[in-house]
Amino acid sequence: MRCAVIGLGEAGGVYAAALAAAGHEVLGYDPGDTPTPEGVTRTATLREAVEQAAYVLVLTGAAAAPSVAEQCLPHLARGACYADFTSASPEVMERLGRTVCEHADFADVAILGPVPLHGHLVPLLASGPGADAIARLVRPLGGPREVSVEVLDGPPGAAMGRKLLRSVFMKGLASVVCEAVAAGQAAGDEDWIRVEIAKQLAGDGQAVIDRFLTGTRTHAVRRAMEMRDTGAYLDVLGVPAEMTRAAEQTLRRLSTG
């Protein structure tokens, strides 16, 4: 199968190499100074990469997604699958879908994890008319252990919407952990706070969610005061307290609701 990969950076390079290793003919395009993965034929122009490709995988920066689509449209083969893996907003994916679907089957593909850690085995969500097609291409790349690709029964933008919902938690959690560990380091208690964080992340996840949802609102007044004092303590430690102060503001809002 001829596949075009637009963007050969961190994620694009991983997918291009995996597709080539699986026996696909892979053409890659990237105007930047990025290495060419093994088994990939690098083209001088985007047109050379896209023409006659059955699959076009776009792994550029989100800001470039609309421009890349515009450049690809005149050269897409009829019936091709155009899969955009960029982290654009659901609205952008909806617009891209409306435009691309006049020429090819569009798939909005959301990457649910760090590619440097999981490589091409990272779980994916896909939506849009091309979702089933991109799932058929990517799933076998894991060999006996298929790549997890959940196909949503929804239009372009549905997959990215779910990814952004997940980001509220994942990116927020990562930021809170970074702030807590930095405070632990400053206080000379890094090992202790790491153990405390690990304990909270283990066990029955649904029970933890329910406890947070009920307890946070019930005890919002007291906890807001606690977070005010926590922020003051982090000031003494010389540690930035953005997440702590955001939590205080959230608790104050909940206390009046």
Side-chain angles (χ1 to χ4, degrees):
M1 195 74 69
R2 175 176 284 191
C3 303
V5 177
I6 311 303
L8 296 174
E10 186 174 74
V14 165
Y15 280 101
L19 288 166
H24 296 288
E25 179 188 1
V26 183
L27 304 179
Y29 173 75
D30 193 319
D33 185 21
T34 55
T36 303
E38 184 176 353
V40 175
T41 300
R42 190 163 188 150
T43 64
T45 66
L46 185 146
R47 176 177 181 170
E48 292 175 80
V50 171
E51 282 184 330
Q52 299 180 29
Y55 288 89
V56 178
L57 283 66
V58 179
L59 294 111
T60 63
S67 173
V68 169
E70 287 180 12
Q71 294 175 62
C72 287
L73 287 183
H75 314 298
L76 290 174
R78 184 61 61 180
C81 173
Y82 185 99
D84 195 314
F85 286 65
T86 62
S87 293
S89 70
E91 292 76 18
V92 168
M93 287 296 181
E94 288 175 14
R95 290 198 298 271
L96 289 175
R98 287 195 297 270
T99 301
V100 173
C101 281
E102 297 179 5
H103 304 264
D105 291 332
F106 181 83
D108 159 25
V109 184
I111 300 174
L112 300 183
V115 173
L117 178 62
H118 300 292
H120 65 278
L121 299 177
V122 64
L124 303 174
L125 281 175
S127 64
D132 284 318
I134 195 65
R136 288 194 298 270
L137 176 72
V138 174
R139 281 175 179 151
L141 299 181
R145 173 192 167 195
E146 279 197 343
V147 176
S148 173
V149 185
E150 181 181 355
V151 175
L152 303 180
D153 183 16
M160 189 52 57
R162 284 203 180 177
K163 175 174 180 172
L164 297 186
L165 287 176
R166 183 176 181 273
S167 293
V168 175
F169 164 66
M170 290 300 296
K171 302 308 187 289
L173 175 62
S175 298
V176 167
V177 168
C178 288
E179 189 165 296
V181 171
Q185 291 170 342
D189 277 323
E190 179 181 356
D191 290 344
W192 181 84
I193 194 62
R194 280 177 171 267
V195 170
E196 287 298 302
I197 293 169
K199 285 194 295 187
Q200 294 303 315
L201 295 177
D204 186 341
Q206 291 295 337
V208 172
I209 292 170
D210 290 339
R211 188 175 78 243
F212 285 166
L213 290 174
T214 57
T216 299
R217 189 177 293 275
T218 301
H219 304 291
V221 174
R222 175 179 59 79
R223 291 179 179 179
M225 295 177 63
E226 181 179 330
M227 294 311 289
R228 179 199 62 192
D229 294 340
T230 303
Y233 180 47
L234 264 61
D235 289 342
V236 171
L237 294 174
V239 174
E242 294 95 345
M243 299 304 295
T244 297
R245 291 203 160 88
E248 179 190 351
Q249 292 303 311
T250 299
L251 289 162
R252 290 193 185 282
R253 173 176 57 79
L254 292 174
S255 71
T256 60

